[in-house]
Amino acid sequence: MKPNLVVLNQNKNRNLAVWFCSTLLLFGIQNSFADSITERFPPPNNFKRVSYPNGSFATYLQNLPLKPQGSPVLLFDGRKKTNQVHVAVLDFPLLRDDLIQCADAVMKLRAEYFYSLKEYDKIQFKISNGMEVGFSRFTKGERVQVNGNKTKWKTGKFKKGTGRDVFEEYLRFIYSYAGTISLKSELKKKQIGEIKPGDVWIEAGSPGHVVLIVDQVTGKDGQTLFLLAQSYMPSQEMHILKSDSQYSPWFEVPQNQSLKTPEWEFPAKEIYGFVK
């Protein structure tokens, strides 16, 4: 049975008890004046950053801007997050509502990427009942009417165009009616050896969780390291996580059945990527 949209939206607003995980010091000396992921986090010794084509989602993520070093992760209401398990905070504006949680943050970055390219027809996500909701229909003045678990497109005196206000209205709708379950349903399964920035580890549920690969380096022996970013519950600024590896904050490819992050442990095989 498909989840009820209203119930799912209520579940997204519950606080989740989280635990504190001890962490190691940052690997090497980080540039405190850097303003992007690639500048703030040079590859560890004997590793080289993996380059991707200009205009790709991977390159977009590698160059995401960061808040000043030492910034705490803030919640949607301005309070500091209890567990500060990060090494950097993305310059990631939040709404003043508890809406942009883990899956929402990933979808926001994906949507912002296509919006920056003006590829509006590629901004499309499923909501919890399986309905495909594309930004292009919002630009034409259409909106989605929700009645329990049933949805349908409707027309009216709604604002049209590709302006930021229409885009933000679209995103708010996606935040309200999508989550880890709907996001996972539109991703493709990947193998560990295929990972790249833009891929996610995801566990669907209410609650579930998702972390996003935002950078990647490789060593001379073929070893791969990567940086992970997340949002969480309640809604909070997206941040780059510490790891418990010798290369922290870089994560190593899991060699056993799980990928352990500071606030969630994923089955190692649950790695997925966007289809388009």
Side-chain angles (χ1 to χ4, degrees), residues 117-215:
L117 298 177
K118 298 184 179 180
E119 295 182 0
Y120 307 123
D121 59 329
K122 294 183 179 179
I123 303 173
Q124 181 166 297
F125 300 101
K126 288 183 180 180
I127 56 176
S128 64
N129 69 350
M131 181 185 187
E132 295 272 2
V133 180
F135 175 56
S136 60
R137 296 192 69 162
F138 270 61
T139 68
K140 297 173 184 177
E142 298 179 69
R143 298 296 186 270
V144 179
Q145 179 177 311
V146 178
N147 183 13
N149 196 45
K150 296 181 179 179
T151 53
K152 65 179 182 180
W153 287 102
K154 63 178 180 180
T155 56
K157 295 182 179 180
F158 302 110
K159 190 163 185 178
K160 302 179 181 181
T162 59
R164 189 77 201 184
D165 51 352
V166 178
F167 182 52
E168 292 289 352
E169 183 184 354
Y170 168 80
L171 289 177
R172 179 179 281 270
F173 179 83
I174 295 299
Y175 303 150
S176 299
Y177 296 108
T180 54
I181 296 173
S182 59
L183 176 59
K184 186 174 181 179
S185 72
E186 57 183 307
L187 302 175
K188 64 178 180 179
K189 191 78 166 57
K190 299 193 70 173
Q191 300 299 314
I192 289 288
E194 303 173 330
I195 61 173
K196 65 180 181 180
D199 293 337
V200 300
W201 264 275
I202 184 168
E203 191 166 0
S206 296
H209 192 43
V210 58
V211 292
L212 174 69
I213 299 176
V214 294
D215 201 2

Side-chain angles (χ1 to χ4, degrees), residues 22-73:
S22 61
T23 55
L24 301 177
L25 293 175
L26 293 179
F27 178 86
I29 298 174
Q30 308 298 345
N31 179 3
S32 62
F33 300 101
D35 61 359
S36 73
I37 290 175
T38 56
E39 292 170 319
R40 179 87 52 94
F41 299 104
N45 290 337
N46 300 316
F47 284 84
K48 181 180 180 181
R49 176 168 278 109
V50 180
S51 297
Y52 291 92
N54 290 334
S56 66
F57 187 44
T59 298
Y60 175 83
L61 294 175
Q62 289 176 316
N63 289 282
L64 286 173
L66 302 174
K67 294 180 71 174
Q69 187 152 330
S71 297
V73 175

Side-chain angles (χ1 to χ4, degrees), residues 224-235:
T224 295
L225 306 175
F226 49 89
L227 294 178
L228 291 177
Q230 70 165 22
S231 179
Y232 207 55
M233 298 173 65
S235 177

